[in-house]
Amino acid sequence: MIRRRLPLFSMLLAALVTALGLSGPAEGGTETRTWPEIVEAAKGQTVYWNAWGGDARINAYIAWVGDKMREEYSITLKQVKLADTADAVSRVLAERTAGKKEGGSIDLIWINGENFAAMKAQNLLYGPFTQALPNFRLVDFDDKPSTLVDFTVPTDGLEAPWGMAKLNFIYDTARVEAMPHSIPELLTWAKAHPGRFTYPAPPDFLGSTFLKQVLIELAPDPAFLQKPVESDAQVEQATRPLWEYLDALHPQLWRGGEIFPANGQAQRQLLDDGAVDIMLSFNPGEASSAIANNLLPDTVRSFVFDKGTIGNTHFVAIPFNANAAEGAMVVANFLMSPAAQAVKQNPEAWGDPTVLSMAKLSDGERHLFDMLPLGIATLPPEALGPTLLEPHPSWMTRIEADWQRRYAR
Amino acid sequence: MHRRGLLRFLPGLTLALFLAPVIAGLIGTWLPAFGYFPSLGGDTFSLAPWTTLFAQPGLAESLRLTLISGFLATVSAFLLTVIFLAACHGGRLILAVRGLMAPLIAVPHAAVALGLAFLIAPSGWLVRLVSPWATGWDLPPDVATVQDANGLALTLGLIIKEVPFLLLMTLAALEQVRAEERLAVARSLGYGPVTAWLKAVLPAVYRQIRLPLYAVLAYALSVVDMALILAPLTPPPLAVQVLRWFNDPDLSMRFVAAAGACLQLLIVIAGIGLWRLGEVAAEGLGRAWIAGGRRGGDGRLPRLVAAGLVQGLVALAAAGLLGLALWSVTRRWRYPDAWPSSLSLDTWAHQAPSLLAITGTTLVTGLAAAAIALLLALGCLENEQRRGLTLSNRVLWLLYVPLLVPQVAFLFGAQVLAIQTGIDATWIALVWSHLLFVLPYVFLTLGDPYRALDERYARTALCLGARPNRVFWQVKLPMLLRPVLFALAVGFAVSVTQYLPTLFAGGGRFATLTTEAVGLSAGGDRRVMGVYAFLQALLPLLAFAAALALPKPLALRRKLRIQAA
């Protein structure tokens, strides 16, 4: 759900900045205070939460969290709506460059993937802090390994899991009879139905995820995608099937592949208008949630590919110079609470799958989830297929840049 | 003595207040463009940012889009304005259109763009009204009518917004060049109505509208908010692309962005230069044409065409806004239904909490910026009159600086300044950034009526023994109440429309109706977008309505007070 983008030399440049002595490593370290101490210190704080703000339902959920924080913890939560999470990374980096080591403007960031990788590599994050949060213990680490390893980068307690995402497809049963079951079949389908499919333009996260799905499915050996990029020759070899595929696919797309929707919401609007027949989603509950919110007709359903689709976890993290780190931790803990997670998973609200382990919950807490409607268009967990792991962030950086060079001109 | 001293410094203060950020911002942009930005490790000057800039994929396409939409929109808006005024001079239509123009100017660019986008999209209202019964389109046609590869949708949007501005500016200028007398002479020599206007009035009036025209060209070449909604995004026009580079988490892109911002400024300068060359060429050709003495026809065809086009533009804007209003109360409205299948106020109810806060920010910022601008403008004008100064052309140019310099070309540098002075992301920075753009418009709106006030009123009051301050408060201000309120409304409307300044000075912490509406435009939910865009259009309209309605009760109260005393 998070838009992200991080071009090539960011980490190199930042490393250079550090090497030149322009900025030192972040101060602080492991959070050692007890939970009651943290809650006490958080009272009266204002937490500026920088979170992608492009979806009204998610914003409404965050506003609900804000109400709860005020009532239960005397914390004022303010969402700073970002168009792109990278803006927040850029801001923290700029603040450190300017020597602002405390009293920073961001207290909490909705983050994952290469934005996290960049902030971690740059020591821009507060903590480790997750071990101090009581609800962190309820997370399902065994069946949801991506709650501890974010795009192959270990989280090391620097970000608290918030929700799960898995690539899936939404189609309108009123218009589509046989849906494709793999990336190669999607091309065949697109050729048979020219102009009826498209994907959001990378670096929108959904578009980038589509590229990665193609990359993984078509790469001769997907295993080395889990490691950082080694050489240009390796990239050239591994990504050749991807570009050949897209070269064949683009002429069959909506608007002949010359215009792409800006993001998942624009794409959803296209599906609702009947301009396309299949859309991408990163949230297995999106179809049901969109029906419940009158955003898609009740004839839409979801499907996934047989060999699996990319899945990951999204998190919240605290910048090293946060003005209200305690308040941010209390928010992060509340976000992982069974009550907040159950409301989030409800397709009538947002429909974002939980990070918690049902086995670790009390009967009463589990009941909150059991009572949730699955949603008419949501696939049950066992039908969601295998989860493919995200490649190392360096791969995404490379293919996003190459995509711009090849198709955005 | 002290007070007069204060007033004397006001023009200087005003200029400093709104030129300093522009100049500092330009410096803060040009230095990084040549590699100098110490906090990012750029200690030496180099051309590297420029070479990287020119190696960016899609730069040529971005430039092409910028130039097409910028020039096509400005030329079309100018021609349409001139031909409309020439063909319909003195007619009733001008009066009607004049009444519609002020509200059209007040409606923010983003709202017009959003309304237009929904109207003309392949799944938009126009197609819905005739589908599928007339067109057979059960599904929307796969044609790019919005975000098209040539930026024509953006051009149309710009024309809709710029024609009203040029029309009003030209109408005001007509009064200054004694157009009626010129026309009468030309007509008596047997020239047709349109030809007479073009030959006898246009050359005089053009000099008056040159600056506004340059401002329109500069704006069209560097627009961001409308482009985000109507222009293609892979790649986008230059100004949007520069914004993306600036927001890139890869900080080394700041150098490229700075070079891009400078390129944007150079394009505007070159564009204005090119326009100037065009003026010279047109002057030569026009002189020959005028001297040729052809009398021209009765002008029926241009009248029909120009009147039809102008009315069409007004209709497009109005229908777009109506569409937004309709979406805001829609529960479900699927293609190809001509109307929503069910209505509800749910969206308004859901958005109410954040809507209140955002509307509050918009109101406070707009009123503060407009009020400060009004104080400064009144002070400067009063100082000018008391000291018997006349405003030189050069000062007028200074006034236009924030309107001629592209926003992306200096806002980033200004942001660095704001961070260094510690006012970044505060109300001060936000209001100040709006003031840069509010002040020129308030000044332009207020200047003419202020100077036109018959000085004998003031002189009589002075002769009766009133001090200058009392004359100002008790004679001039009450007589100028209507234009003063109107200037306040203009200032407020200009503030509401600001997108980039809010983004940069506000540091992301201040959301206004404009930032929300543009932010949601990327897709989102048309119903929510409808709420924000409709409200964004409504606020300035309410301000104008208030400016028109308030003088009467205020004057009445004053009269009663005087009678009571």
Side-chain angles (χ1 to χ4, degrees):
Chain A
M1 274 298 157
I2 312 178
R3 289 176 40 133
R4 44 192 149 64
R5 161 171 70 98
L6 196 80
L8 195 54
F9 294 108
S10 151
M11 283 174 248
L12 272 179
L13 177 92
L16 192 71
V17 170
T18 313
L20 290 171
L22 292 165
S23 56
E27 269 116 85
T30 308
E31 178 61 58
T32 51
R33 285 171 289 181
T34 65
W35 183 242
E37 284 171 349
I38 294 172
V39 172
E40 186 55 34
K43 259 190 198 144
Q45 287 186 334
T46 298
V47 175
Y48 286 95
W49 182 3
N50 284 42
W52 178 74
D55 190 316
R57 293 169 306 160
I58 300 174
N59 295 344
Y61 177 77
I62 291 176
W64 172 80
V65 172
D67 293 341
K68 290 285 171 198
M69 297 320 292
R70 198 173 43 248
E71 290 162 15
E72 294 175 18
Y73 298 97
S74 307
I75 291 172
T76 310
L77 180 66
K78 292 200 169 162
Q79 182 189 4
V80 177
K81 290 176 191 160
L82 301 177
D84 191 322
T85 303
D87 298 351
V89 181
S90 164
R91 195 166 181 89
V92 177
L93 206 45
E95 285 180 355
R96 188 177 66 184
T97 314
K100 201 167 187 178
K101 288 182 179 157
E102 52 191 31
S105 64
I106 302 175
D107 299 307
L108 194 66
I109 307 183
W110 182 14
I111 197 169
N112 75 353
E114 79 275 37
N115 283 321
F116 171 72
M119 291 192 85
K120 186 185 174 196
Q122 282 304 304
N123 295 316
L124 288 173
L125 291 172
Y126 179 90
F129 71 92
T130 52
Q131 74 290 340
L133 313 182
N135 289 331
F136 185 62
R137 289 188 295 273
L138 304 176
V139 173
D140 188 352
F141 305 115
D142 297 331
D143 288 337
K144 294 164 184 163
S146 59
T147 51
L148 288 177
V149 182
D150 184 2
F151 284 47
T152 74
V153 179
T155 60
D156 290 344
L158 295 169
E159 53 178 358
W162 187 24
M164 301 294 295
K166 190 168 192 308
L167 183 67
N168 64 98
F169 300 84
I170 301 175
Y171 70 112
D172 193 341
T173 52
R175 293 195 300 269
V176 178
E177 281 154 15
M179 59 265 196
H181 292 97
S182 67
I183 282 294
E185 276 185 39
L186 179 66
L187 178 59
T188 318
W189 185 91
K191 281 179 176 162
H193 305 86
R196 306 301 299 167
F197 176 70
T198 187
Y199 61 94
D204 176 75
F205 76 93
L206 210 47
S208 300
T209 305
F210 178 70
L211 299 190
K212 286 182 282 184
Q213 177 75 31
V214 178
L215 180 69
I216 292 176
E217 260 193 61
L218 299 183
D221 174 18
F224 61 73
L225 296 175
Q226 291 295 310
K227 300 192 190 82
V229 165
E230 278 164 13
S231 66
D232 288 347
Q234 183 200 25
V235 174
E236 213 281 319
Q237 192 203 356
T239 59
R240 193 181 304 143
L242 166 68
W243 305 123
E244 283 169 3
Y245 181 87
L246 292 183
D247 286 343
L249 180 70
H250 279 193
Q252 313 299 332
L253 294 183
W254 174 77
R255 301 279 188 272
E258 288 186 357
I259 305 176
F260 294 85
N263 53 35
Q265 287 68 41
Q267 188 199 216
R268 184 182 64 207
Q269 189 68 63
L270 291 177
L271 181 68
D272 190 40
D273 283 345
V276 298
D277 290 335
I278 295 178
M279 66 171 268
L280 305 164
S281 168
F282 218 16
N283 173 355
E286 174 160 7
S288 298
S289 174
I291 295 174
N293 286 284
N294 285 307
L295 289 164
L296 286 176
D298 56 11
T299 49
V300 300
R301 294 293 180 269
S302 315
F303 70 91
V304 289
F305 287 164
D306 298 342
K307 284 188 197 155
T309 51
I310 289 183
N312 67 33
T313 302
H314 47 99
F315 302 81
V316 288
I318 305 172
F320 77 101
N321 63 354
N323 187 44
E326 296 83 10
M329 282 189 275
V330 174
V331 174
N333 185 61
F334 176 77
L335 293 176
M336 288 187 293
S337 68
Q341 288 274 316
V343 172
K344 184 164 66 75
Q345 190 169 316
N346 190 331
E348 279 153 28
W350 174 2
D352 190 53
T354 183
V355 293
L356 301 183
S357 162
M358 290 302 122
K360 293 180 182 173
L361 301 185
S362 70
D363 289 345
E365 290 164 344
R366 207 170 14 245
H367 187 61
L368 291 174
F369 290 89
D370 291 341
M371 281 196 331
L372 289 181
L374 179 63
I376 183 174
T378 308
L379 297 171
E382 60 275 15
L384 272 174
T387 297
L388 303 177
L389 289 175
E390 290 276 0
H392 188 271
S394 55
W395 285 95
M396 176 146 124
T397 311
R398 294 298 287 260
I399 58 177
E400 279 178 353
D402 272 355
W403 191 92
Q404 294 296 330
R405 204 167 44 72
R406 284 165 182 270
Y407 304 115
R409 50 191 313 162
Chain B
M1 277 322 281
H2 177 72
R3 287 186 76 103
R4 211 168 75 203
L6 201 70
L7 199 58
R8 187 185 298 255
F9 288 118
L10 208 54
L13 176 76
T14 307
L15 276 184
L17 207 56
F18 85 118
L19 282 185
V22 178
I23 293 167
L26 283 176
I27 295 172
T29 311
W30 279 89
L31 288 179
F34 286 94
Y36 187 79
F37 197 17
S39 58
L40 270 183
D43 297 328
T44 49
F45 288 94
S46 84
L47 286 175
W50 291 88
T51 43
T52 322
L53 171 69
F54 289 117
Q56 291 296 314
L59 181 69
E61 179 61 20
S62 290
L63 284 175
R64 191 182 73 91
L65 280 170
T66 295
L67 293 175
I68 290 183
S69 52
F71 274 100
L72 197 58
T74 312
V75 170
S76 314
F78 170 63
L79 288 181
L80 190 56
T81 304
V82 164
I83 294 172
F84 176 74
L85 288 177
C88 303
H89 190 94
R92 248 179 307 166
L93 189 59
I94 297 246
L95 284 179
V97 165
R98 182 182 208 153
L100 281 172
M101 288 303 133
L104 249 183
I105 290 177
V107 175
H109 290 81
V112 169
L114 288 168
L116 183 69
F118 169 61
L119 212 56
I120 63 172
S123 61
W125 206 2
L126 293 180
V127 173
R128 289 178 190 215
L129 284 172
V130 294
S131 297
W133 56 272
T135 57
W137 292 330
D138 290 315
L139 299 172
D142 191 7
V143 189
T145 49
V146 172
Q147 305 193 323
D148 59 295
N150 289 313
L152 296 181
L154 174 61
T155 308
L156 180 61
L158 284 168
I159 294 175
I160 292 179
K161 270 305 286 176
E162 300 309 352
V163 164
F165 176 67
L166 285 178
L167 267 176
L168 272 197
M169 290 313 248
T170 318
L171 282 170
L174 282 176
E175 286 161 14
Q176 293 171 10
V177 300
R178 301 200 294 185
E180 297 300 337
E181 292 164 38
R182 288 168 180 270
L183 266 182
V185 174
R187 292 300 303 275
S188 69
L189 291 170
Y191 285 91
V194 176
T195 317
W197 200 96
L198 291 179
K199 288 189 172 180
V201 178
L202 181 60
V205 100
Y206 185 81
R207 214 163 302 145
Q208 307 279 332
I209 60 164
R210 178 179 285 152
L211 266 179
L213 251 178
Y214 291 173
V216 167
L217 181 64
Y219 182 84
L221 284 170
S222 59
V223 61
V224 169
D225 52 356
M226 287 190 113
L228 280 170
I229 297 160
L230 293 171
L233 296 173
T234 48
L238 183 63
V240 177
Q241 186 64 62
V242 169
L243 182 63
R244 280 193 192 168
W245 288 329
F246 264 110
N247 285 336
D248 204 302
D250 178 353
L251 288 188
S252 70
M253 289 303 285
R254 293 284 164 102
F255 293 100
V256 179
C262 296
L263 179 63
Q264 177 73 59
L265 178 65
L266 293 177
I267 284 177
V268 168
I269 293 173
I272 293 176
L274 200 66
W275 192 276
R276 183 79 195 96
L277 282 180
E279 284 174 9
V280 174
E283 204 179 317
L285 292 172
R287 218 179 276 275
W289 180 61
I290 293 171
R294 298 261 304 264
R295 293 318 197 238
D298 66 355
R300 191 180 303 167
L301 185 68
R303 186 155 53 236
L304 275 178
V305 173
L309 283 176
V310 169
Q311 287 171 339
L313 290 182
V314 174
L316 271 181
L321 293 182
L322 189 67
L324 291 177
L326 202 52
W327 265 112
S328 77
V329 293
T330 288
R331 176 173 295 138
R332 196 80 179 106
W333 185 3
R334 281 205 83 193
Y335 182 90
D337 299 345
W339 302 100
S341 55
S342 72
L343 297 175
S344 94
L345 286 173
D346 284 357
T347 316
W348 283 93
H350 285 156
Q351 296 299 320
S354 54
L355 209 52
L356 275 179
I358 290 166
T359 310
T361 309
T362 313
L363 272 174
V364 170
T365 315
L367 289 177
I372 295 171
L374 184 69
L375 281 179
L376 292 172
L378 279 174
C380 290
L381 288 164
E382 179 65 12
N383 178 62
E384 178 188 309
Q385 282 196 343
R386 285 194 200 175
R387 295 175 60 201
L389 304 171
T390 49
L391 196 68
S392 73
N393 227 6
R394 209 165 300 156
V395 177
L396 198 63
W397 269 92
L398 285 181
L399 209 52
Y400 263 91
V401 162
L403 309 184
L404 293 174
V405 179
Q407 293 189 345
V408 284
F410 72 93
L411 275 177
F412 303 99
Q415 191 189 27
V416 173
L417 187 75
I419 292 176
Q420 276 165 356
T421 51
I423 62 164
D424 170 48
T426 62
W427 282 100
I428 301 177
L430 184 67
V431 173
W432 194 350
S433 71
H434 281 211
L435 192 61
L436 300 184
F437 308 96
V438 170
L439 190 60
Y441 283 106
V442 170
F443 214 105
L444 292 172
T445 317
L446 201 55
D448 285 341
Y450 204 90
R451 297 189 191 103
L453 184 70
D454 196 329
E455 58 171 335
R456 282 172 293 188
Y457 290 114
R459 211 178 301 152
T460 309
L462 286 170
C463 289
L464 289 172
R467 292 184 162 278
N469 282 343
R470 193 170 162 209
V471 175
F472 173 76
W473 289 108
Q474 298 204 324
V475 178
K476 288 188 186 170
L477 217 49
M479 294 187 77
L480 287 165
L481 187 59
R482 194 175 285 272
V484 162
L485 287 176
F486 192 71
L488 207 55
V490 168
F492 178 74
V494 171
S495 165
V496 172
T497 210
Q498 297 306 322
Y499 175 67
L500 273 192
T502 315
L503 223 51
F504 281 95
R509 286 210 178 165
F510 292 91
T512 62
L513 290 170
T514 301
T515 57
E516 287 293 302
V518 177
L520 287 165
S521 72
D525 186 337
R526 283 193 189 126
R527 300 170 299 185
V528 182
M529 201 178 69
V531 167
Y532 283 96
F534 176 69
L535 208 56
Q536 189 210 14
L538 191 66
L539 276 192
L541 291 179
L542 287 179
F544 273 88
L548 290 178
L550 271 180
K552 243 182 220 164
L554 284 181
L556 188 69
R557 230 181 68 193
R558 188 179 142 78
K559 213 161 153 189
L560 291 175
R561 216 169 43 213
I562 292 170
Q563 278 170 357

